[in-house]
Amino acid sequence: GQQVMQIPQYQHVQEGEDFTTYCNSSTTLSNIQWYKQRPGGHPVFLIQLVKSGEVKKQKRLTFQFGEAKKNSSLHITATQTTDVGTYFCAGPRGGTSYGKLTFGQGTILTVHP
Amino acid sequence: DTGVSQDPRHKITKRGQNVTFRCDPISEHNRLYWYRQTLGQGPEFLTYFQNEAQLEKSRLLSDRFSAERPKGSFSTLEIQRTEQGDSAMYLCASTGGLNTEAFFGQGTRLTVV
């Protein structure tokens, strides 16, 4: 079945350092979504990428979708303590419902002030 | 609208007991999903409803699990004869229309002792 893998599992950074998490799918994806889960919280949608090679930015966050639509990355510039949490990528499980997702195991980001 | 709500937030039960969780999706959303999340893992898809119809069930959903959405609004997830391995966070999410963003509830944390 479809597998979505993320690396690294953990990342500890000093405030102000950059952070990147990578996501790889065993199958070609029609789209990829990214979610953030704060400690003790629930996943919150960040963005969806659809096109091959697509790059989207949200303030200090940059998301990329690979040319082959099998990999993606999230880069945070100059991390802040508010960036703490687990970042998940997720690909659709098939069909037309975007809410049926296969999640990666996530990258846990801690930011030391 | 206050988003997706789940009840209870926490449940402690003895092994062998039955438990039922409730999810109220965003009111205009016709699609509802149940996920399970264990510590250090991403959410795992369990089942999906479009209106009142249950359209897909994961292999993770054993015979002890049953989900309903009788009127196409709220949904319930019942676990019969709970086992310690059922201990997890049970998340509900909803999507609607052409919206690709999955809105998650706060989850129900189940502990089986």
Side-chain angles (χ1 to χ4, degrees), chain A residues 73-87:
Chain A
S73 65
L74 159 59
H75 179 82
I76 303 178
T77 303
T79 54
Q80 300 175 357
T81 54
T82 54
D83 296 325
V84 164
T86 303
Y87 292 85

Side-chain angles (χ1 to χ4, degrees), chain B residues 17-71:
Chain B
Q17 297 293 305
N18 298 343
V19 293
T20 300
F21 311 141
R22 177 179 170 126
C23 171
D24 286 88
I26 292 172
S27 57
E28 61 267 28
H29 284 182
N30 61 338
R31 296 184 291 272
L32 184 149
Y33 315 82
W34 284 99
Y35 285 83
R36 181 172 68 188
Q37 186 177 27
T38 53
L39 199 61
Q41 299 297 317
E44 296 173 295
F45 171 79
L46 293 178
T47 189
Y48 152 57
F49 290 85
Q50 181 156 319
N51 300 312
E52 66 276 9
Q54 188 174 19
L55 297 186
E56 185 174 338
K57 291 195 289 186
S58 162
R59 288 175 296 174
L60 292 175
L61 214 63
S62 77
D63 291 345
R64 298 184 296 104
F65 288 69
S66 62
E68 294 183 342
R69 195 183 182 197
K71 297 182 179 179

Side-chain angles (χ1 to χ4, degrees), chain B residues 76-88:
Chain B
T76 58
L77 177 68
E78 181 184 15
I79 308 174
Q80 296 183 327
R81 305 181 302 282
T82 51
E83 301 172 356
Q84 285 191 319
D86 297 331
S87 295

Side-chain angles (χ1 to χ4, degrees), chain A residues 9 33 35 37 40-43 45 48 88 93 97-101 103-106, chain B residues 31 33 35 37 40-43 45 48 56 58 91 95 99-102 104-106:
Chain A
Q9 189 174 358
Q33 298 183 16
Y35 290 78
Q37 186 171 23
H42 58 281
F45 176 84
Q48 177 177 271
F88 294 101
R93 293 171 57 88
S97 176
Y98 290 107
K100 287 189 305 177
L101 300 165
F103 281 80
Q105 70 268 44
Chain B
R31 296 184 291 272
Y33 315 82
Y35 285 83
Q37 186 177 27
Q41 299 297 317
F45 171 79
Y48 152 57
E56 185 174 338
S58 162
L91 292 162
T95 64
N99 197 337
T100 59
E101 174 180 353
F104 282 85
Q106 301 269 26

